[in-house]
Amino acid sequence: MKILKENLLVQFSVICFVTMAIIAVGLTVVLSGSIRSAAVDSLAKEAIATASGRLLQVLTPADLKVPMTGQEYNLFHAFVQYSIVSERTARIKIWAKDGTIIYSDNPAIIGEKFPYEDNFLKALGQETTVEINIPDRPGHEYEKFLGTLMEVYTPIIFPDDSEPQGVLEISQYYQPTALLIAEQRSAVLASMGIGFVILYGALVSIVWRGWNTINQQQRERRQAQETLEQTVVALERSNTELEQFAYIASHDLQEPLRMVSSYVQLLARRYKGQLDKDADEFIAFVVDGAARMQKMINELLTYSRVGSRGKELQPVNCQNVLNQVLKSLQIAIDENHCTVTTDPLPTVLADETQLAHLFQNLITNAIRYRSDEAPIIHISAMEEEDDNRWLFSFRDNGRGIEPQNIDNIFLMFHRMHNNKELGTGVGLAICRKIVERHGGNIWVESEIGEGSTFYFTIPMEERSQQ
Amino acid sequence: MSNIIIVKPIHILLVEDNPGDVRLTQEAFKENMIYNNMSVVEDGVEAMQFLRQQGKYADAPRPDLIMLDLNLPRKDGREVLSEIKTDPDLKRIPVVVLTTSEAEEDIVKTYNNHANCYITKPVDLEEFIKIVKSIETFWLNVVKLPSDSTKQIV
């Protein structure tokens, strides 16, 4: 049954055959019927023509009034046997106007009256009727071999008359016609069969081509899907490995870093001024390098933890988060005489800690990369209904970003400025990782000397990659 | 006659396997110039022997304060903490866990096992020196230790 459901070709074929079978059967029945009645009509006409003609030559209206008996019967019966009964005509009966049997090949019923016989009455009303019977009379079993009998009832109308004087009943064999019907039926079926095969062949070729195309497309799609899934699995594995690597590397680096950093600081404290000036300078470089290394490793650790220590997304009130962040940055804000304004911020599905981190990094950058004017930072959020997401913007009036750097700033450890001032370069990479973990995108628009606006999106429903 | 206050030196047991960290801790204590004796053991087994005054540690003094690292060879610091705090004789000694781990589970488990406090070793030397100073000030000057400690006023 499965092949029936899946294979279009099989389905089509089955439907075709069933339909054709139904049509064939229906047509056969209908045709048979019509062929039959045509045949019957012509047979009946033929029978009537022969028998009536001959009988009217020997009968008179007077004969139809009295049942035949004795010598009269014998003569008439011989006549009938000789000139009317044949391989086509089995026997006849003659009925008087009142329903009395005037003549029959069975003498016993002569004189009997059957005035209410249906066919008789119809014939009397000048309507020729035909009744088809399978003969079953004792002593007449042989007639079955000769086929079906049909009984034709026709009115006897004399030449000068207009009224029937009696009814003629002719029992006519049917078989030759049965053969004819069978022949005709075969012919019709054969031609139908050929037509059907041609039609089917044509249709099937079309369907087959379509079916092949569908199959092929499905196969291609399945392959593409598999490739995609494999790629996803490989990427996920690679991602996890990278995160683990970043975490382990930065975590295990802490200890040797601590040794270097602490002892060099100890050296500095203990021996400052006791060694020569060069030594002091050398020590200063080491201390500084160690400090920067420590900061970078911590940032790397934080970056790797965005994925691994992320919490489940919950509804978070951005306004509250922002207020807390501003509070924790109060000193820097005051020192730099910053003005921070915000539009009403929504509640979104997020990891609260990470969102705070994101806000903090963006604001810290705005302060750090300020121009000579006091920094003005404006934060807003817009609902983008079509894409089902919130669009946040952090606009500042800082020094701006050069066009060639705009794409690079979100990379890890990318520096726009020389050396060690102003940040290690992971802050924006962390921002991007956080935004992407929430299922959004982050980008920046900026003009040198005018300021920068950082945009990021947060989807309204959970669409993140955990 | 003035009261003579003789203060016996404070005994601190440092359980730490990293010699670099051992030296750092000693130097940090030296910076603060509080008179104390520091004993150092390098693993958990030695630590328990010391505290129970077994074997080569038969004459070991009873420490007033234990500074314990969590990641130790032979017997893990977490086990040592557990043993100390379930021993009826040893459990009164304050245990300051001084370790590199920031892991939440470590912090929780350590306090569950009744450590007196948990401190993460900072990377910066200045920070470390400040922390050591505050440990000393708090545990050895501010708080009252039980009378079987060596700190006595005569």
Side-chain angles (χ1 to χ4, degrees):
Chain A
M1 264 344 248
K2 196 161 179 261
I3 217 186
L4 190 62
K5 278 195 205 160
E6 287 181 356
N7 195 328
L8 191 63
L9 212 52
V10 169
Q11 282 178 359
F12 173 71
S13 302
V14 165
I15 291 176
C16 268
F17 277 108
V18 167
T19 313
M20 289 319 291
I22 294 175
I23 293 177
V25 166
L27 267 181
T28 310
V29 168
V30 166
L31 274 181
S32 297
S34 68
I35 292 174
R36 219 184 203 183
S37 29
V40 161
D41 281 342
S42 78
L43 246 191
K45 282 206 179 89
E46 190 196 315
I48 294 167
T50 323
S52 266
R54 299 227 173 111
L55 282 174
L56 285 176
Q57 286 173 349
V58 298
L59 283 178
T60 62
D63 295 321
L64 294 181
K65 299 220 163 75
V66 178
M68 295 183 188
T69 49
Q71 191 65 2
E72 197 198 351
Y73 171 79
N74 288 338
L75 275 173
F76 188 73
H77 185 65
F79 169 73
V80 167
Q81 293 295 108
Y82 178 69
S83 54
I84 296 179
V85 169
S86 63
E87 73 273 356
R88 300 257 192 94
T89 309
R91 56 187 159 271
I92 63 170
K93 275 200 197 89
I94 300 181
W95 302 57
K97 249 202 310 201
D98 62 357
T100 317
I101 306 286
I102 303 289
Y103 167 78
S104 164
D105 68 326
N106 178 7
I109 65 167
I110 293 181
E112 303 271 337
K113 243 176 159 179
F114 304 99
Y116 303 112
E117 175 75 33
D118 227 3
N119 294 320
F120 159 75
L121 288 170
K122 280 196 189 141
L124 217 49
Q126 303 207 36
E127 187 186 322
T128 302
T129 67
V130 177
E131 194 170 302
I132 297 171
N133 283 316
I134 296 180
D136 205 9
R137 288 170 23 180
H140 291 254
E141 289 86 5
Y142 68 90
E143 285 177 355
K144 272 195 198 155
F145 290 114
L146 295 168
T148 322
L149 268 184
M150 53 188 239
E151 276 154 16
V152 186
Y153 293 77
T154 189
I156 303 175
I157 305 180
F158 288 95
D160 304 322
D161 236 321
S162 54
E163 291 284 322
Q165 296 299 321
V167 168
L168 174 61
E169 183 190 324
I170 313 170
S171 298
Q172 191 85 351
Y173 288 121
Y174 198 29
Q175 197 183 37
T177 317
L179 275 176
L180 188 64
I181 291 175
E183 273 171 38
Q184 288 205 344
R185 184 160 47 197
S186 312
V188 167
L189 281 178
S191 48
M192 266 179 51
I194 292 170
F196 166 68
V197 164
I198 296 172
L199 184 67
Y200 175 68
L203 288 176
V204 130
S205 71
I206 297 172
V207 171
W208 192 42
R209 238 175 296 143
W211 175 234
N212 271 348
T213 314
I214 292 176
N215 267 350
Q216 191 170 350
Q217 283 181 351
Q218 275 187 349
R219 235 177 294 133
E220 285 172 1
R221 205 180 321 137
R222 227 176 300 138
Q223 262 177 2
Q225 181 84 7
E226 270 176 29
T227 314
L228 182 67
E229 283 175 3
Q230 281 172 0
T231 311
V232 166
V233 166
L235 272 176
E236 282 182 347
R237 203 184 318 132
S238 167
N239 230 22
T240 316
E241 281 176 4
L242 278 172
E243 280 190 2
Q244 281 179 348
F245 176 76
Y247 176 79
I248 290 171
S250 38
H251 184 260
D252 290 344
L253 281 170
Q254 298 275 356
E255 197 266 336
L257 176 63
R258 221 159 28 78
M259 293 294 112
V260 169
S261 190
S262 305
Y263 277 101
V264 110
Q265 284 175 64
L266 205 46
L267 268 176
R269 283 166 79 102
R270 197 65 65 81
Y271 298 104
K272 194 156 192 177
Q274 295 181 37
L275 301 169
D276 64 359
K277 187 158 157 294
D278 282 349
D280 286 343
E281 277 179 32
F282 297 164
I283 289 176
F285 278 122
V286 178
V287 170
D288 179 67
R292 275 185 296 122
M293 187 161 66
Q294 175 218 333
K295 246 187 138 192
M296 278 173 77
I297 287 177
N298 279 337
E299 298 249 89
L300 198 58
L301 210 52
T302 312
Y303 180 83
S304 76
R305 280 179 185 156
V306 170
S308 66
R309 281 203 188 171
K311 287 185 243 115
E312 237 182 80
L313 302 189
Q314 306 263 340
V316 170
N317 185 324
C318 295
Q319 196 70 57
N320 288 346
V321 172
L322 183 65
N323 291 341
Q324 284 193 335
V325 168
L326 291 176
K327 226 190 285 184
S328 71
L329 292 174
Q330 199 60 51
I331 299 175
I333 291 175
D334 291 339
E335 271 179 9
N336 287 278
H337 306 286
C338 293
T339 314
V340 181
T341 58
T342 98
D343 288 343
L345 298 181
T347 298
V348 299
L349 270 176
D351 176 328
E352 190 167 349
T353 314
Q354 291 185 345
L355 203 65
H357 204 162
L358 171 66
F359 289 177
Q360 185 170 317
N361 280 5
L362 289 173
I363 297 174
T364 308
N365 273 357
I367 299 175
R368 210 181 262 154
Y369 295 98
R370 56 174 285 191
S371 59
D372 293 326
E373 302 169 10
I376 301 172
I377 305 169
H378 182 71
I379 301 155
S380 71
M382 212 169 53
E383 192 176 347
E384 288 195 340
E385 275 171 16
D386 294 337
D387 297 309
N388 220 356
R389 61 187 193 183
W390 288 101
L391 177 65
F392 287 78
S393 69
F394 279 60
R395 192 178 67 233
D396 67 55
N397 62 342
R399 60 184 81 161
I401 307 166
E402 278 132 27
Q404 65 261 30
N405 284 325
I406 284 209
D407 289 325
N408 292 333
I409 55 172
F410 293 104
L411 295 174
M412 268 211 283
F413 297 128
H414 172 82
R415 309 288 183 71
M416 291 185 298
H417 304 87
N418 296 334
N419 278 333
K420 40 205 169 127
E421 40 115 325
L422 305 183
T424 56
V426 188
L428 282 176
I430 291 178
C431 287
R432 180 164 75 171
K433 201 162 187 231
I434 291 176
V435 166
E436 284 176 359
R437 187 182 168 253
H438 285 71
N441 289 318
I442 185 169
W443 68 95
V444 66
E445 285 171 15
S446 178
E447 242 191 271
I448 289 285
E450 297 288 323
S452 316
T453 309
F454 281 84
Y455 296 97
F456 64 90
T457 58
I458 304 263
M460 290 197 193
E461 296 131 12
E462 192 164 322
R463 254 194 295 132
S464 69
Q465 322 115 18
Q466 301 279 352
Chain B
M1 197 151 77
S2 53
N3 286 336
I4 302 173
I5 298 175
I6 302 171
V7 179
K8 288 201 189 141
I10 305 293
H11 266 109
I12 298 176
L13 175 64
L14 174 61
V15 188
E16 170 64 65
D17 67 323
N18 183 341
D21 275 326
V22 169
R23 185 64 193 270
L24 266 178
T25 312
Q26 287 171 331
E27 294 297 326
F29 269 91
K30 260 198 225 157
E31 296 267 337
N32 286 309
M33 293 190 288
I34 295 182
Y35 192 30
N36 62 61
N37 283 336
M38 187 180 288
S39 305
V40 179
V41 292
E42 288 177 343
D43 63 48
V45 172
E46 299 269 309
M48 293 320 296
Q49 282 181 349
F50 185 99
L51 289 168
R52 292 190 176 127
Q53 294 163 326
Q54 292 166 340
K56 61 180 172 184
Y57 296 114
D59 293 325
R62 184 190 164 86
D64 300 297
L65 181 69
I66 302 173
M67 295 187 37
L68 177 66
D69 185 15
L70 287 180
N71 297 314
L72 298 168
R74 286 218 284 166
K75 184 181 279 201
D76 191 60
R78 300 162 186 87
E79 248 192 272
V80 171
L81 174 64
S82 196
E83 281 189 32
I84 293 175
K85 288 302 179 180
T86 48
D87 184 311
D89 193 38
L90 299 173
K91 64 184 179 184
R92 288 186 295 280
I93 307 175
V95 175
V96 171
V97 169
L98 188 62
T99 183
T100 47
S101 167
E102 287 184 291
E104 189 64 34
E105 323 95 77
D106 274 336
I107 300 177
V108 168
K109 279 199 194 137
T110 305
Y111 279 112
N112 272 343
N113 282 321
H114 310 290
N116 294 79
C117 60
Y118 187 104
I119 299 174
T120 309
K121 289 181 198 166
V123 177
D124 185 59
L125 180 69
E126 293 290 339
E127 280 294 313
F128 188 54
I129 292 177
K130 274 192 223 158
I131 283 174
V132 163
K133 182 166 177 133
S134 50
I135 290 174
E136 279 183 308
T137 315
F138 185 73
W139 284 105
L140 303 178
N141 285 347
V142 172
V143 310
K144 297 269 183 279
L145 292 175
S147 54
D148 46 9
S149 103
T150 55
K151 183 176 164 198
Q152 289 183 22
I153 298 184
V154 171

